Amino acid sequence: LRGREDIINIRQKRTRISKEKVKRAIHYVRFLKLVPFIKSISLCNSLSFNNAKKSSDIDLFIITQNNRLWITRTLSALLLMALGVKRRKGRNIDPDRFCLSFFATTKSLNLKQIYQESFDSYRSFWIANLKPLYGTRTFRRLIAKNIWYKKELPNHQHKLTKTIPGKNFLGFLRFMVEKFINLFGADLIDKWLYGWQSKRVIGGADWDEVGIDIIAERQMLKTYAHAKREYFREKLKERLKENLKTI
């Protein structure tokens, strides 16, 4: 493109950086998959687009069992903190650390419900570029629930690579821990954690972002503010208008 001759070199550099970050993500997801009630873990945002910078963190999209999101979030955060790889609060730039930015339960897999704009190419692109690392079966359910994205990307096909296995001895131990937590009133625990933590999420957010960029519900949690969805939608509209003028 005229005036953007350096874009190829930038893209190649970011692809190399992304590959290294994916290796790091796979290493730590082997631990994270042991957290009770996790059904699927995927890479999202810049890393899943192969467009990460050295300064980029690692964003995860996690699907949990129904009514277990807030238990899962708490245990996941504690584990990543213990490993020293959780993104630190208040830091806009925290390279190679993990950001637990988006959770949904198996009851809330249709992501279209959270967007008010009928034209949202960024969200379709976001879904198309998710990279599942664990829980292929649940990930397939996610795609089936969001097949609407094919209206904007009709030729896209998810190429599912080999993911981290879950059926082993450690997987059995996780199953037993889930049973143990359920015996001690998992529904009440999750509800209490939701009431406590959701207030902190909403309380620290800009009210203009609550409901789209910031969501804290029993079955869905989305915490990354200033999402680029609006920016890319407006840019695409501008490009389309420019192209129409040349026809």
Side-chain angles (χ1 to χ4, degrees), residues 40-52:
S40 179
I41 304 173
S42 298
L43 295 174
C44 62
N45 299 343
S46 63
L47 184 52
S48 68
F49 306 155
N50 285 325
N51 196 33

Side-chain angles (χ1 to χ4, degrees), residues 53-103:
K53 304 174 184 177
K54 283 187 177 181
S55 60
S56 299
D57 56 12
I58 299 171
D59 288 297
L60 298 178
F61 173 53
I62 297 176
I63 300 173
T64 77
Q65 183 177 319
N66 186 33
N67 290 330
R68 299 293 183 270
L69 186 157
W70 296 88
I71 292 175
T72 304
R73 186 212 185 203
T74 302
L75 295 177
S76 298
L78 289 173
L79 176 60
L80 293 181
M81 287 173 64
L83 294 172
V85 295
K86 184 181 180 295
R87 179 172 176 171
R88 289 162 288 192
K89 188 176 180 180
R91 299 207 180 192
N92 292 327
I93 298 177
D94 214 1
D96 294 330
R97 293 210 171 219
F98 287 81
C99 182
L100 301 172
S101 58
F102 202 161
F103 287 83

Side-chain angles (χ1 to χ4, degrees), residues 12-181:
Q12 289 175 340
K13 181 180 179 181
R14 290 186 181 180
T15 297
R16 290 194 297 269
I17 292 171
S18 296
K19 285 181 179 179
E20 292 303 312
K21 289 181 182 286
V22 169
K23 290 179 183 178
R24 178 176 174 82
I26 290 171
H27 174 74
Y28 284 101
V29 167
R30 293 184 187 277
F31 296 98
L32 197 59
K33 74 180 180 67
L34 300 177
V35 173
F37 308 116
I38 284 183
K39 296 298 183 183
S40 179
I41 304 173
S42 298
L43 295 174
C44 62
N45 299 343
S46 63
L47 184 52
S48 68
F49 306 155
N50 285 325
N51 196 33
K53 304 174 184 177
K54 283 187 177 181
S55 60
S56 299
D57 56 12
I58 299 171
D59 288 297
L60 298 178
F61 173 53
I62 297 176
I63 300 173
T64 77
Q65 183 177 319
N66 186 33
N67 290 330
R68 299 293 183 270
L69 186 157
W70 296 88
I71 292 175
T72 304
R73 186 212 185 203
T74 302
L75 295 177
S76 298
L78 289 173
L79 176 60
L80 293 181
M81 287 173 64
L83 294 172
V85 295
K86 184 181 180 295
R87 179 172 176 171
R88 289 162 288 192
K89 188 176 180 180
R91 299 207 180 192
N92 292 327
I93 298 177
D94 214 1
D96 294 330
R97 293 210 171 219
F98 287 81
C99 182
L100 301 172
S101 58
F102 202 161
F103 287 83
T105 70
T106 51
K107 188 178 180 179
S108 298
L109 294 181
N110 188 350
L111 303 182
K112 193 172 185 178
Q113 61 182 307
I114 65 176
Y115 294 100
Q116 299 172 351
E117 297 286 342
S118 57
F119 178 65
D120 197 346
S121 57
Y122 179 77
R123 184 51 46 192
S124 296
F125 184 75
W126 187 89
I127 292 172
N129 283 276
L130 284 172
K131 289 186 176 178
L133 299 182
Y134 168 73
T136 303
R137 180 180 296 179
T138 301
F139 182 80
R140 286 197 178 103
R141 287 181 60 194
L142 171 75
I143 298 305
K145 288 286 187 178
N146 293 278
I147 201 66
W148 50 265
Y149 87 93
K150 290 257 187 175
K151 290 181 180 179
E152 294 176 4
L153 299 170
N155 297 321
H156 178 266
Q157 295 291 333
H158 270 99
K159 296 179 181 178
L160 299 182
T161 56
K162 186 177 180 181
T163 56
I164 298 169
K167 292 184 178 180
N168 50 31
F169 179 69
L170 292 177
F172 173 74
L173 287 180
R174 190 189 80 158
F175 173 76
M176 295 305 295
V177 171
E178 290 176 352
K179 292 293 185 183
F180 181 79
I181 296 174

